[in-house]
Amino acid sequence: MLDVAVIEEPAAAEASLDPIRARILAALAEPGSAAMLATRLGLPRQKVNYHLKELERHKLVELAEERRKGNVTERVYRATAASYVISPSVLAAVSPDPSRSPDQLSARWLLTLGSRLVQEVGALLTGASRARKRVATFGIDAQVRFASAADRAAFAEELSRAVATLVSRYHDESAAGGRSHRVVVGLHQIPAAPPTPPGTAADDTTTTDAPADAPGTAPEQENPR
């Protein structure tokens, strides 16, 4: 089973978004038969069988094994991945285009870059899977807490210079057999945790970062200049 798979076909995306099928996919993180799923999810076995066939048709679940029980053969399924991401290519006609309105200070442009990342890496994984090859990638995930908006701006400026320096040092337009790679670096505030329901043990005891428009702070704009 893959850790994550990218759904690129509209029909497969539609199948995965059905509430019952989504529950079946989650349950099949551990292999199970239609009878086992019916009991676990509280659904009629016939309905589970129908949804399993649709999920299998879209390659979201696969046959793990067949067990012989008397005169009956029990089919055991498993999800093809532990989690799924729907590629923007599913909505090809309206998928985000980073070249349309490039703006380093726009949260929506950052979201567009992320959408392209999902689409391109998903396509690479699909092609590599068919060719039975690995995809050469590299990722960094880090957190930084800024004391002020000025520090954040200075960090972004220094990061931009560092990336530009590295790109200019290693980019070789005329390299025979060279392969183009895309470098995406993003910086965004981590969303605050949802409020703790009243009456729970953590209520009034856990402190989280104040949102941008909390009292005593200036609200952030979409494009702060």
Side-chain angles (χ1 to χ4, degrees), residues 34-90:
M36 294 168 62
L37 289 169
T39 301
R40 193 182 308 170
L41 301 177
L43 296 170
R45 180 173 176 175
Q46 185 177 3
K47 178 176 286 189
V48 171
N49 263 321
Y50 167 74
H51 288 299
L52 275 174
K53 289 178 181 178
E54 286 300 300
L55 290 170
E56 186 179 24
R57 185 163 69 90
H58 295 296
K59 296 181 174 59
L60 298 174
V61 304
E62 60 189 5
L63 184 65
E65 63 174 309
E66 291 184 330
R67 299 170 181 168
R68 190 72 177 176
K69 290 188 174 181
N71 296 327
V72 178
T73 300
E74 183 180 54
R75 295 167 63 86
V76 179
Y77 293 89
R78 66 184 170 206
T80 54
S83 57
Y84 298 86
V85 175
I86 297 178
S87 170
S89 62
V90 169

Side-chain angles (χ1 to χ4, degrees), residues 123-134:
L124 286 173
L125 285 172
T126 298
S129 178
R130 289 171 181 166
R132 297 186 178 182
K133 294 182 178 180
R134 298 185 64 182

Side-chain angles (χ1 to χ4, degrees), residues 148-179:
S148 66
D151 283 353
R152 183 185 60 193
F155 177 90
E157 178 63 27
E158 190 172 340
L159 180 62
S160 297
R161 289 198 302 267
V163 172
T165 298
L166 283 171
V167 170
S168 63
R169 181 185 304 165
Y170 288 98
H171 180 70
D172 189 343
E173 189 68 35
S174 61
R179 294 185 177 183

